[in-house]
Amino acid sequence: EAGVTQFPSHSVIEKGQTVTLRCDPISGHDNLYWYRRVMGKEIKFLLHFVKESKQDESGMPNNRFLAERTGGTYSTLKVQPAELEDSGVYFCASSQILPGAHYSYNEQFFGPGTRLTVL
Amino acid sequence: AQSVTQLDSHVSVSEGTPVLLRCNYSSSYSPSLFWYVQHPNKGLQLLLKYTSAATLVKGINGFEAEFKKSETSFHLTKPSAHMSDAAEYFCVVSDGTGGFKTIFGAGTRLFVKA
């Protein structure tokens, strides 16, 4: 079974440009999460999809970030326009919806991350 | 409000000696607690999780953690370190209330000396 995949693995862009990160969750996983780790800081929650719906986007830094999950399969995270402080590693994770269990108890499977550098 | 504190940013042990990675948490509700490990250029991998069942939780690769409510701790241990254990370890808390709130600790980097 394939794990969570993310593309690209690395991206280097200039301030003001646009970048789109992609995440392919494990097949059948309805929960999809985005996280970010800025250098030297903790991993921070960005948002959570259940299928194609945004369940919680309270962690999104500002309106320069747009996440989508059309069709409830893969997800994209677009940063437009990118700023220097957006540099970091962006992780995606997915998990199943298990009957009778709150989704926060379910194991999340993480992708390897996309390292974004904004110059 | 939830919070997680990993008490050591770096831990160095010799191969074959015990490992202790410390984690304290704060949660208003009964939390779920997790330990994840990240090896270089890999995604985070779940080591173990506590979800209000047994307080002593056994995970993969010989790791275990004990949930101590009175001390609000969830320390990760392993009796004997192996070179392959060198990685970064994250303590994570989720209290399962209302929306989805998962808080990561800052991470502890484990070095294993031969």
Side-chain angles (χ1 to χ4, degrees):
Chain A
E1 177 184 310
V4 177
T5 57
Q6 294 186 244
F7 181 83
S9 58
H10 295 81
S11 180
V12 181
I13 61 173
E14 294 190 353
K15 176 183 173 180
Q17 290 186 319
T18 298
V19 63
T20 300
L21 313 181
R22 173 170 171 144
C23 169
D24 286 80
I26 292 172
S27 178
H29 282 194
D30 289 331
N31 292 308
L32 187 149
Y33 316 89
W34 283 99
Y35 297 89
R36 176 175 74 172
R37 189 181 195 189
V38 173
M39 185 176 294
K41 300 286 183 69
E42 295 90 348
I43 296 172
K44 296 283 193 182
F45 167 79
L46 295 179
L47 87 160
H48 169 212
F49 285 98
V50 177
K51 298 185 180 178
E52 67 275 8
S53 300
K54 292 176 184 174
Q55 182 73 21
D56 183 351
E57 53 183 331
S58 61
M60 295 287 264
N62 50 61
N63 59 12
R64 296 186 292 104
F65 289 76
L66 175 65
E68 294 180 321
R69 193 183 182 193
T70 306
T73 55
Y74 71 90
S75 175
T76 58
L77 180 64
K78 180 189 288 188
V79 185
Q80 179 183 31
E83 298 289 344
L84 299 179
E85 64 266 25
D86 301 333
S87 295
V89 181
Y90 290 76
F91 293 101
C92 175
S94 70
S95 71
Q96 293 178 294
I97 294 179
L98 299 177
H102 193 280
Y103 47 67
S104 64
Y105 300 145
N106 300 337
E107 175 183 358
Q108 296 180 40
F109 295 83
F110 282 79
T114 293
R115 183 174 296 277
L116 174 64
T117 302
V118 182
L119 302 176
Chain B
Q2 299 174 87
S3 67
V4 179
T5 302
Q6 291 185 242
L7 298 165
D8 306 291
S9 60
H10 298 84
V11 170
S12 182
V13 301
S14 296
E15 190 174 23
T17 64
V19 175
L20 170 63
L21 305 184
R22 298 181 294 167
C23 172
N24 286 104
Y25 71 92
S26 171
S27 176
S28 302
Y29 303 92
S30 297
S32 290
L33 294 158
F34 307 79
W35 275 99
Y36 282 85
V37 61
Q38 186 182 24
H39 289 92
N41 300 316
K42 302 282 188 181
L44 281 76
Q45 180 186 20
L46 180 69
L47 280 176
L48 49 80
K49 67 178 180 181
Y50 166 78
T51 55
S52 74
T55 56
L56 182 61
V57 182
K58 295 189 182 298
I60 62 172
N61 301 333
F63 285 94
E64 62 181 38
E66 186 171 8
F67 173 71
K68 292 187 177 181
K69 187 175 181 178
S70 61
E71 299 177 10
T72 61
S73 69
F74 191 57
H75 301 333
L76 182 70
T77 61
K78 182 173 181 177
S80 177
H82 191 273
M83 296 296 289
S84 61
D85 295 327
E88 190 164 20
Y89 293 78
F90 296 92
C91 183
V92 179
V93 64
S94 176
D95 70 14
T97 59
F100 173 79
K101 299 297 178 190
T102 291
I103 307 296
F104 280 76
T108 297
R109 191 168 294 278
L110 176 65
F111 297 94
V112 182
K113 300 174 289 187

